[in-house]
Amino acid sequence: MTASKYKRVLLKLSGEALMGDDAFGINRQTIARMVEEIVDVARLGVELAIVIGGGNIFRGVAPGAQGMDRATADYMGMMATIMNALALQDALKRSSVDARVQSALNIDQVVEPYIRPKALRYLEEGKVVIFAAGTGNPFFTTDTAAALRGAEIGAEIVLKATKVDGIYTADPKKDPTATRYSRISFDEAINRRLEVMDATAFALCRDQKLPIKVFSITKHGALGRAVMGEDEGTLVHV
């Protein structure tokens, strides 16, 4: 990699992406591979912030959460994202990358609270900033948190890392004739009810003119190619 198209990006990592082939939890080999790609991007001089989900950890307690009050379950999910954020921070530090975790929930003994000016300063200093606990509110997904934090920090693009290499005309696992969109507008993505991101996140990014790139984190080098603006995944634009 020689040059990046974007100076500041927001990477949205799903908790499920950390599982690898495991049923739930964190697969160490998977997170180590992801960290290698994050390190490569950071060394390009890209200011990188990350919003991480918690579905991999919360999935392990999902049977016990059935029938639970939605707000309570959402707060449990937020705490799962903090666990993932700490694991990612530790893996980055082991690779000599300085990382900071900021949480929308106050757990001062464990992580810093989210403070926008401090997050911006960390990014300018070349640190990776990991945003945990979503928006801090129930009923809002970590996709919405990614759109919100991306807008707040002035990111040039939101990189949505999934296990699928973009947005398709149909589910590629069920329909072998499905084709990948190279580009698609926010309005079309919302009207087609594409479920790669929730409608609130799409609408917020559309209103802020903040593009989204959907790509597969399981493809080697895909993150770097997305940062350099290559034809990787699907670009969702105004």
Side-chain angles (χ1 to χ4, degrees):
M1 291 188 285
T2 57
S4 62
K5 179 178 180 179
Y6 306 103
K7 176 178 174 57
R8 179 176 294 170
V9 303
L10 189 292
L11 172 63
K12 168 55 172 56
L13 271 177
S14 69
E16 288 79 0
L18 302 180
M19 295 191 305
D21 295 326
D22 297 341
F24 59 87
I26 298 170
N27 182 286
R28 298 306 304 178
Q29 290 182 331
T30 298
I31 197 172
R33 182 185 55 75
M34 289 182 187
V35 164
E36 286 182 8
E37 302 215 4
I38 291 170
V39 168
D40 287 342
V41 167
R43 286 175 178 165
L44 289 174
V46 177
E47 296 177 1
L48 180 62
I50 301 172
V51 167
I52 195 163
N56 58 316
I57 292 176
F58 192 68
R59 180 174 296 184
V61 298
Q66 290 182 1
M68 183 180 290
D69 173 75
R70 168 64 188 274
T72 300
D74 281 357
Y75 281 119
M76 291 173 65
M78 290 179 215
M79 289 187 283
T81 72
I82 295 172
M83 296 169 67
N84 279 338
L86 291 172
L88 182 59
Q89 179 190 42
D90 179 75
L92 286 167
K93 286 188 174 181
R94 289 174 183 271
S95 296
S96 301
V97 173
D98 201 357
R100 295 288 189 274
V101 176
Q102 289 196 341
S103 169
L105 294 180
N106 288 333
I107 311 178
D108 294 343
Q109 295 91 333
V110 181
V111 290
E112 297 180 20
Y114 169 65
I115 301 174
R116 179 174 174 268
K118 187 177 285 189
L120 292 171
R121 187 174 77 246
Y122 286 153
L123 290 170
E124 291 165 358
E125 293 171 350
K127 298 178 175 67
V128 174
V129 181
I130 307 168
F131 297 122
T135 67
N137 302 288
F139 307 107
F140 290 92
T141 68
T142 51
D143 281 346
T144 299
L148 176 62
R149 296 290 182 248
E152 287 181 306
I153 66 171
E156 297 169 82
I157 192 168
V158 172
L159 303 177
K160 163 81 172 181
T162 70
K163 290 185 175 182
V164 181
D165 64 337
I167 300 174
Y168 281 75
T169 54
D171 187 343
K173 293 181 180 179
K174 299 177 180 178
D175 184 356
T177 65
T179 57
R180 177 177 64 87
Y181 291 102
S182 177
R183 301 168 63 93
I184 189 171
S185 70
F186 281 109
D187 287 339
E188 187 175 0
I190 292 170
N191 291 337
R192 288 178 176 268
R193 297 184 179 180
L194 300 175
E195 296 180 354
V196 68
M197 240 177 167
D198 68 75
T200 303
F202 271 142
L204 179 55
C205 285
R206 179 193 61 192
D207 293 346
Q208 296 301 315
K209 296 180 172 56
L210 177 60
I212 300 170
K213 170 80 77 164
V214 180
F215 72 102
S216 172
I217 195 65
T218 63
K219 286 178 63 177
H220 180 70
L223 175 58
R225 291 190 292 273
V227 166
M228 289 189 289
E230 297 183 10
D231 182 21
E232 183 68 47
T234 301
L235 179 69
V236 188
H237 60 93
V238 177

